[in-house]
Amino acid sequence: MKMKFQAIVVLILLSYSSIAQDYRWQQKAEYTMNVSLDDKTHRLTGDQKIVYYNNSGDTLTKVYYHLFFNAFQPGSMMDIRIQNIADPDKRIGMRISKLNENEIGYQKINSLKQDGKAVKTTVNGTILEVELAKPIMPRSKTTLEMSFEAQVPIQIRRSGRDNKEGISYSMTQWYPKLAEYDFQGWHAYQYVAREFHGVWGDFDVTISIDSSFTVAGTGVLQNAEKIGHGYGKAGSKPVRKDKKLNWHFVGKNIIDFAWVADPDFTHDMIKVQGGPDVHFFYQKNEKTMNTWKSLQPIIDETFKFMNAHYGKYPYETYSVIQGGDGGMEYPMCTLILGEGKLEGLAGTAIHEVAHSWFQAILASNEALYAWMDEGFADFAEDEVTAHLTNTDNDHAGSYNTYFNMISRALLEVPNQHSDHFVTERGYKAGSYTAGAVFLHQLRYIIGEKNFSKGMMRYYNTWKFRHPEPNDFIRVMEKTSNMQLHWYLRYWINSDKKIDYEIKEVVDGGQKTEVSLHRIGDIPMPIDLVVTFRDGTKELLYIPLNEMMGTKPSEDPSLKMQTLPDWAWVSPAYKATINKPLSEIATIEIDPTKRMADVNRKNNLWDGSQDESDDGN
Ligand SMILES: [Zn+2]
């Protein structure tokens, strides 16, 4: 007995010390929820139990919950914001301000106890503040039990009932959700426009609803044979005696739980080789019957590509569900509008599937670093699309949007809280566009091979955690053996721009001197490609001194010569080509166009142009 006790003490001390050494501890929440939805009153009642693990070194005297449905009430912060932003989301417009009592959303806490003792709660908009009955000590757990009720709002943004395509219930942001606490503190943001962050944990959810409804969502259905609705073995038809069915879902190691219910769903399923099972839920009609069938092999190939390039999807199932108001990502599922043309439907679905990696598994704080989930998902969407259509993965769409936003002076610093961008367009450019360009441009800086290896290493290092911008760049530094924090600072933490020019090309007899000039504020390494009159090419690679390293050759067929570093303080650089001017056809900065140079007109020196100029 004594020995055993000592062994246990040693084990406990070991596990505590390993947590203490890791300053990036993360909290954990185990949810058990039993809820019942009344489809006549659109009200939900239920119980929620959370076993909450405080893995931090801090003593917590409060916790916070999100009550997202409260945003759908006249005068809410979402309502006020939409009436004051220059380019409001048309899906919302003035709709919240006009909701009547039966149409608003709310979440009400009827009782809340911590380890059996009642606690004091205060509702502030979409945030519930809880003064705990007793503090949660470092590295200990507590149990929070509540009963709650909610009214499902008319579908206005993401969640709600009766969306414009007639889907009955889009149940996202539907339950009182614990706010995340991490090394930065509490992330108890009001629900103003977007982006969600959650505590890693497990969800055990039982949903009671009229048996006519098919339910789709996060997690794996535990009682498929009893439920039917396309879940059980093919052809099986359970006999239903009860008016209501209890749908039991379990999702492990996820940050959120969403579901959809509709009586008219068609339910298809495909098995992706190497996983997962992908379920499709849609209302079959002339607008969907062909597109949703055509979508299935596309999603099959998307999972295969994503598994091969960004790490293996770790869950058993994924569901593509018609619902919501566009496309929105959740763990193990997405809600997308379903009646559009195949191209748009597939583009949205691929983007949302990509979010399974960039947000659902690599769960960056979407509110603070939207560029890490939206930008990375956009990037992966482009890569998948290029693979599916056998075209170049040049990300031209992202670059064009970026240049367009700059020309209209709408670009804002990407690294800011999503709800605090001045305009909606600025948010989109600072997250989707800047994030996608960030990755493709990083590929230029560190080279294709390092980039591919780095993306896989990022997954393996940070899956099931909350990676920060610096965590991502550290992985890329370790993979490439280059210093890269300067790139993060310039591209993500500023709105500075890139512009390089070939200023002058001078005949030096047997040699040719090229004068380069940095006009923009962002320093970059330079790929200078010389094309000779005999058709051969050579890459003169100019590393940036801040990188403390060089990228390997990306193209074995292109001769590469590494020139001395360019110090970032110098606006000018002289490169020497060991061939006479007469043998040179063109010289070009970054012909791959991966560097987001805002003025490409001054990137090319054309020998034939130059000669004709001299003749005049
Ligand atoms: Zn997205």
Side-chain angles (χ1 to χ4, degrees):
M1 280 301 285
K2 203 178 169 193
M3 279 294 286
K4 204 173 175 187
F5 176 73
Q6 281 170 339
I8 290 166
V9 168
V10 167
L11 271 175
I12 290 169
L13 287 174
L14 274 174
S15 65
Y16 277 7
S17 66
S18 68
I19 292 166
Q21 278 163 13
D22 180 7
Y23 82 103
R24 294 293 293 282
W25 45 267
Q26 64 191 26
Q27 307 296 70
K28 187 182 175 192
E30 292 166 355
Y31 284 81
T32 307
M33 291 190 274
N34 284 290
V35 296
S36 175
L37 180 66
D38 182 334
D39 61 289
K40 303 290 179 295
T41 61
H42 314 298
R43 291 198 184 142
L44 183 84
T45 50
D47 299 319
Q48 180 196 70
K49 181 173 105 173
I50 301 176
V51 180
Y52 181 55
Y53 295 81
N54 175 19
N55 293 324
S56 77
D58 304 328
T59 300
L60 303 179
T61 56
K62 285 182 183 178
V63 297
Y64 298 87
Y65 288 80
H66 298 275
L67 305 175
F68 293 110
F69 276 5
N70 291 359
F72 304 103
Q73 296 173 7
S76 71
M77 280 180 71
M78 187 183 275
D79 186 24
I80 295 169
R81 175 69 168 163
I82 211 75
Q83 295 185 41
N84 289 282
I85 198 165
D87 52 350
D89 189 326
K90 289 197 183 76
R91 288 172 291 201
I92 307 173
M94 295 297 288
R95 291 175 66 206
I96 296 175
S97 68
K98 292 174 182 156
L99 290 174
N100 66 42
E101 283 301 306
N102 300 326
E103 296 169 332
I104 62 166
Y106 60 72
Q107 281 154 338
K108 282 184 186 157
I109 311 304
N110 294 327
S111 73
L112 178 56
K113 285 181 177 167
Q114 179 199 8
D115 297 328
K117 287 198 188 102
V119 295
K120 195 180 161 214
T121 59
T122 313
V123 176
N124 175 358
T126 60
I127 294 293
L128 176 79
E129 185 180 331
V130 178
E131 282 180 48
L132 294 168
K134 66 172 198 287
I136 316 172
M137 302 309 283
R139 293 174 284 279
S140 69
K141 65 177 179 180
T142 199
T143 301
L144 299 157
E145 285 176 284
M146 70 160 68
S147 75
F148 70 99
E149 61 180 89
Q151 179 165 287
V152 185
I154 291 270
Q155 199 276 326
I156 288 178
R157 188 74 183 98
R158 300 189 184 97
S159 48
R161 62 186 161 96
D162 306 322
N163 87 339
K164 71 173 190 181
E165 294 182 346
I167 303 300
S168 296
Y169 294 101
S170 299
M171 299 297 284
T172 63
Q173 297 88 37
W174 61 278
Y175 61 96
K177 180 182 168 186
L178 261 189
E180 178 62 306
Y181 179 77
D182 63 20
F183 75 103
Q184 298 188 12
W186 283 104
H187 298 277
Y189 315 120
Q190 294 285 344
Y191 187 20
V192 174
R194 60 175 66 82
E195 305 313 333
F196 309 100
H197 190 42
V199 187
W200 277 105
D202 303 332
F203 287 76
D204 184 311
V205 181
T206 303
I207 299 157
S208 177
I209 190 168
D210 187 273
S211 60
S212 60
F213 285 85
T214 299
V215 178
T218 304
V220 178
L221 186 63
Q222 303 296 299
N223 52 346
E225 295 307 327
K226 194 174 176 201
I227 292 287
H229 283 276
Y231 280 98
K233 286 195 192 85
S236 70
K237 279 217 165 82
V239 185
R240 289 195 199 101
K241 293 187 183 129
D242 305 326
K243 197 165 160 14
K244 278 195 158 190
L245 277 178
N246 293 317
W247 298 67
H248 182 201
F249 291 93
V250 170
K252 287 195 183 295
N253 221 1
I254 51 179
I255 56 165
D256 198 4
F257 189 100
W259 57 285
V260 181
D262 192 81
D264 304 314
F265 270 150
T266 289
H267 178 185
D268 294 338
M269 203 267 279
I270 59 167
K271 280 181 179 294
V272 177
Q273 205 180 3
D277 289 351
V278 183
H279 299 255
F280 296 83
F281 298 89
Y282 57 103
Q283 283 186 354
K284 199 181 224 171
N285 54 42
E286 65 279 11
K287 288 177 183 160
T288 59
M289 54 195 288
N290 295 325
T291 50
W292 278 72
K293 282 288 178 199
S294 305
L295 180 64
Q296 293 169 20
I298 293 172
I299 295 306
D300 179 63
E301 195 57 31
T302 300
F303 270 98
K304 285 178 188 155
F305 184 93
M306 294 296 296
N307 280 341
H309 291 84
Y310 303 108
K312 193 177 177 310
Y313 181 82
Y315 308 109
E316 276 173 60
T317 63
Y318 185 82
S319 295
V320 182
I321 310 163
Q322 186 181 7
D325 60 3
M328 185 65 194
E329 68 276 13
Y330 299 96
M332 305 175 70
C333 72
T334 178
L335 274 62
I336 61 175
L337 283 179
E339 294 182 351
K341 293 200 177 98
L342 179 63
E343 197 185 346
L345 180 71
T348 305
I350 293 166
H351 176 94
E352 305 309 338
V353 167
H355 272 304
S356 287
W357 281 257
F358 307 113
Q359 220 283 315
I361 301 166
L362 296 153
S364 298
N365 184 338
E366 279 188 277
L368 300 184
Y369 319 118
W371 61 274
M372 289 180 82
D373 75 291
E374 293 305 349
F376 287 23
D378 250 12
F379 175 87
E381 177 195 341
D382 275 4
E383 295 277 308
V384 171
T385 306
H387 165 72
L388 288 167
T389 54
N390 210 7
T391 50
D392 288 336
N393 54 357
D394 57 9
H395 301 270
S398 297
Y399 281 75
N400 290 338
T401 307
Y402 172 77
F403 295 135
N404 181 272
M405 293 300 287
I406 284 188
S407 70
R408 296 160 69 196
L410 286 167
L411 196 77
E412 299 178 43
V413 174
N415 231 15
Q416 56 177 310
H417 189 293
S418 302
D419 289 337
H420 293 255
F421 281 82
V422 176
T423 64
E424 188 77 9
R425 283 182 300 243
Y427 158 73
K428 285 190 176 134
S431 51
Y432 294 76
T433 309
V437 173
F438 172 83
L439 284 189
H440 199 48
Q441 194 165 248
L442 179 64
R443 195 182 231 162
Y444 166 81
I445 296 170
I446 66 177
E448 173 66 43
K449 265 191 201 142
N450 282 333
F451 179 77
S452 303
K453 265 196 254 170
M455 291 306 285
M456 200 54 105
R457 188 167 172 173
Y458 176 49
Y459 176 88
N460 288 322
T461 310
W462 286 100
K463 62 185 170 186
F464 309 121
R465 299 177 75 186
H466 293 306
E468 298 269 315
N470 202 55
D471 301 323
F472 176 78
I473 214 72
R474 286 294 296 129
V475 167
M476 289 300 176
E477 288 190 333
K478 288 173 188 173
T479 309
S480 66
N481 217 5
M482 289 161 81
Q483 184 170 268
L484 297 165
H485 47 65
W486 59 274
Y487 178 51
L488 193 65
R489 287 198 308 274
Y490 275 105
W491 192 257
I492 296 300
N493 293 335
S494 87
D495 56 0
K496 295 186 169 89
K497 295 160 198 76
I498 299 168
D499 184 15
Y500 279 90
E501 73 165 337
I502 299 178
K503 198 170 189 191
E504 204 179 13
V505 177
V506 178
D507 185 349
Q510 287 308 301
K511 290 180 176 180
T512 303
E513 298 283 354
V514 186
S515 290
L516 300 172
H517 191 208
R518 175 174 59 76
I519 299 168
D521 291 317
I522 303 184
M524 289 288 281
I526 298 297
D527 280 4
L528 190 68
V529 174
V530 185
T531 306
F532 298 101
R533 290 192 186 277
D534 64 5
T536 58
K537 286 175 189 265
E538 185 175 359
L539 166 62
L540 302 181
Y541 170 55
I542 309 167
L544 178 69
N545 71 327
E546 195 86 351
M547 302 190 308
M548 313 288 284
T550 56
K551 71 172 165 183
S553 163
E554 294 180 274
D555 176 2
S557 70
L558 180 62
K559 191 180 160 197
M560 176 171 167
Q561 189 194 340
T562 302
L563 302 187
D565 287 358
W566 185 335
W568 70 266
V569 289
S570 306
Y573 185 95
K574 272 196 171 37
T576 303
I577 303 166
N578 292 316
K579 290 263 178 89
L581 182 65
S582 59
E583 290 184 26
I584 297 170
T586 61
I587 305 169
E588 187 173 9
I589 295 170
D590 178 32
T592 63
K593 297 186 173 61
R594 288 175 296 178
M595 191 165 81
D597 189 316
V598 294
N599 177 15
R600 287 202 58 89
K601 285 189 189 126
N602 55 16
N603 286 28
L604 178 71
W605 177 85
D606 188 334
S608 59
Q609 292 283 315
D610 208 54
E611 274 169 20
S612 61
D613 286 347
D614 287 349
N616 288 329

